[in-house]
Amino acid sequence: MVATGESSGALFCRTQLPRVSRTFALNIPLLPEPLDLTVTVAYLLCRIADTLEDEAPGALQGGLLDELADLAELGKDWDSRARSFVRRAKPTLRAETPVAEAELLAGTPTVLETLASLPSWVHPHIARCVRTMTGGMKHIQQAYAKEGRVEGLPDLQATFLYCYYVAGVVGEMLTGLFIDSSPAVAARRAPLTQRALAFGRALQLTNILKDVREDLDRGICWLPRDRMAAHGLEPATLALPAHRMQAVEMMHELVAVARRELEVAFEYSLTLPAEEPGLRLFCLYPLFFAVLTLNAVEGNPAVFDPEPVKMRRESVRMLMLLTQERVASDEALRQLYADCSAAPQGAEAVW
């Protein structure tokens, strides 16, 4: 949804969103005003933090993550400090940084300008999310990274903690925004709050499993070392063809964990009132995409190959249409979820 007469900052944010996230470019525009632009801005700030973590080796030592968190609070002289932040951050980026992410980081002052133009009630939710996320990224890097590499996390609890810092906290932020924007949602505060962490955590864990080979190729592994060790694996051997059977068995266990998280996330989505279809679809799209992704990952040795495992575009389009048709019916959505989840291992659901 694009409001007429929007500022150049808002237009920049809306234009930049699909360049850095195809998935969220599909569901964020479904949110009612002012949540659509609010969540766009929040996502872009989180993506800037993610770029610093992944693409700027000196971001942690140079205090750039802390500085971004300070800027998101829109304190004194935030506009001049934002320009200084960009001047310091740009030289730290790797040469291989995707162009869209580098341009987004350069546009940090514009994203913050758009944040400042939003209603004041959204600001605390976004500021807390960015502060928690950047602090968590620092904690994980300090605890587990060695010379820019993360060779697995100790156990599933540590993997879940990482998922909280980079996604679970987003679930908390979204829940706060939804509650403050709608009396109907506010009436369901307790069950939503109880499930908010699982919503973000489920999506992040799915991404970790899908991107396991891509992460390994850049010296990163977010999988639990104890689960790998139980199958005679470690990050250095995880993608080797000679260990493919053990790796697939280990992924089977972790996919089961992700599915349990998705079930809680699904209940979170159905807890949102049916009279708020935009909120429901915003949550259901990525959730159903995650189900398809896990179907494609489970039992599929190709997930360890250099070529990424992807959903078919026709499957995405069909799933979006089916979700739209059923958005007001819990019963119909539950049946769709069951049908999607029942697809054979290593395959997407087919309609």
Side-chain angles (χ1 to χ4, degrees):
M1 181 185 300
V2 178
T4 57
E6 278 196 329
S7 68
S8 59
L11 291 174
F12 170 83
C13 292
R14 294 191 193 278
T15 302
Q16 204 67 22
L17 178 64
R19 299 189 66 221
V20 294
S21 175
R22 287 177 295 177
T23 298
F24 285 97
L26 294 174
N27 68 335
I28 289 178
L30 300 173
L31 293 169
E33 294 181 353
L35 287 179
D36 58 337
L37 185 56
T38 296
V39 177
T40 297
V41 169
Y43 176 84
L44 294 179
L45 288 171
C46 292
R47 190 55 182 259
I48 292 168
D50 190 58
T51 298
L52 291 174
E53 182 191 35
D54 291 345
E55 306 293 345
L60 179 63
Q61 295 82 359
L64 290 171
L65 288 170
D66 289 334
E67 193 170 347
L68 179 64
D70 291 340
L71 288 169
E73 294 176 351
L74 298 176
K76 184 179 179 181
D77 299 327
W78 65 263
D79 47 350
S80 62
R81 289 191 291 115
R83 292 190 293 271
S84 175
F85 166 81
V86 171
R87 286 193 297 269
R88 292 182 54 227
K90 286 174 65 175
T92 69
L93 294 178
R94 304 177 196 271
E96 302 82 9
T97 302
V99 172
E101 294 189 20
E103 291 180 353
L104 174 59
L105 186 143
T108 300
T110 304
V111 178
L112 291 168
E113 175 189 337
T114 309
L115 173 62
S117 73
L118 292 168
S120 60
W121 60 267
V122 313
H123 295 168
H125 295 292
I126 296 176
R128 179 190 178 276
C129 177
V130 176
R131 175 71 68 185
T132 304
M133 179 179 290
T134 54
M137 288 174 171
K138 283 179 54 183
H139 168 73
I140 294 293
Q141 291 290 326
Q142 290 169 342
Y144 304 116
K146 296 180 181 179
E147 299 180 353
R149 300 176 65 87
V150 178
E151 298 182 348
L153 298 175
D155 49 34
L156 189 59
Q157 183 178 357
T159 297
F160 271 178
L161 180 61
Y162 171 74
C163 289
Y164 168 72
Y165 285 140
V166 299
V169 67
V170 176
E172 290 180 329
M173 176 194 70
L174 292 169
T175 302
L177 290 170
F178 293 168
I179 288 170
D180 285 356
S181 70
S182 168
V185 177
R188 306 182 182 194
R189 177 189 303 269
L192 285 170
T193 302
Q194 291 168 4
R195 297 169 175 140
L197 293 186
F199 178 74
R201 195 164 57 198
L203 299 182
Q204 184 61 33
L205 186 55
T206 298
N207 284 337
I208 288 173
L209 298 178
K210 172 179 69 73
D211 296 335
V212 60
R213 176 58 189 265
E214 179 182 343
D215 286 341
L216 287 170
D217 286 346
R218 60 189 185 90
I220 299 294
C221 181
W222 302 115
L223 301 181
R225 287 197 298 267
D226 63 343
R227 298 295 178 100
M228 287 186 276
H231 292 272
L233 298 165
E234 57 185 35
T237 61
L238 188 56
L240 295 180
H243 296 271
R244 198 54 50 94
M245 182 177 296
Q246 300 99 301
V248 170
E249 290 174 352
M250 181 209 63
M251 289 289 278
H252 177 75
E253 293 182 8
L254 294 176
V255 166
V257 174
R259 288 193 190 280
R260 289 196 294 270
E261 291 293 297
L262 278 176
E263 289 171 3
V264 181
F266 182 63
E267 292 305 319
Y268 173 94
S269 303
L270 295 191
T271 302
L272 293 165
E275 57 266 32
E276 293 283 3
L279 302 189
R280 279 192 161 200
L281 289 172
F282 169 85
C283 295
L284 289 168
Y285 276 8
L287 191 151
F288 278 118
F289 297 161
V291 173
L292 289 192
T293 299
L294 291 179
N295 292 346
V297 166
E298 186 168 16
N300 185 359
V303 74
F304 296 101
D305 293 339
E307 187 69 23
V309 172
K310 295 182 179 180
M311 295 181 292
R312 298 192 301 268
R313 290 185 178 182
E314 56 269 29
S315 296
V316 171
R317 287 194 293 267
M318 179 60 73
L319 190 51
M320 290 170 62
L321 178 61
L322 292 171
T323 307
Q324 291 170 17
E325 292 173 348
R326 292 156 173 76
V327 66
S329 169
D330 289 3
E331 181 180 359
L333 287 170
R334 290 186 190 282
Q335 186 59 56
L336 180 61
Y337 185 84
D339 291 344
C340 288
S341 301
Q345 288 187 10
E348 293 182 7
V350 178
W351 294 277

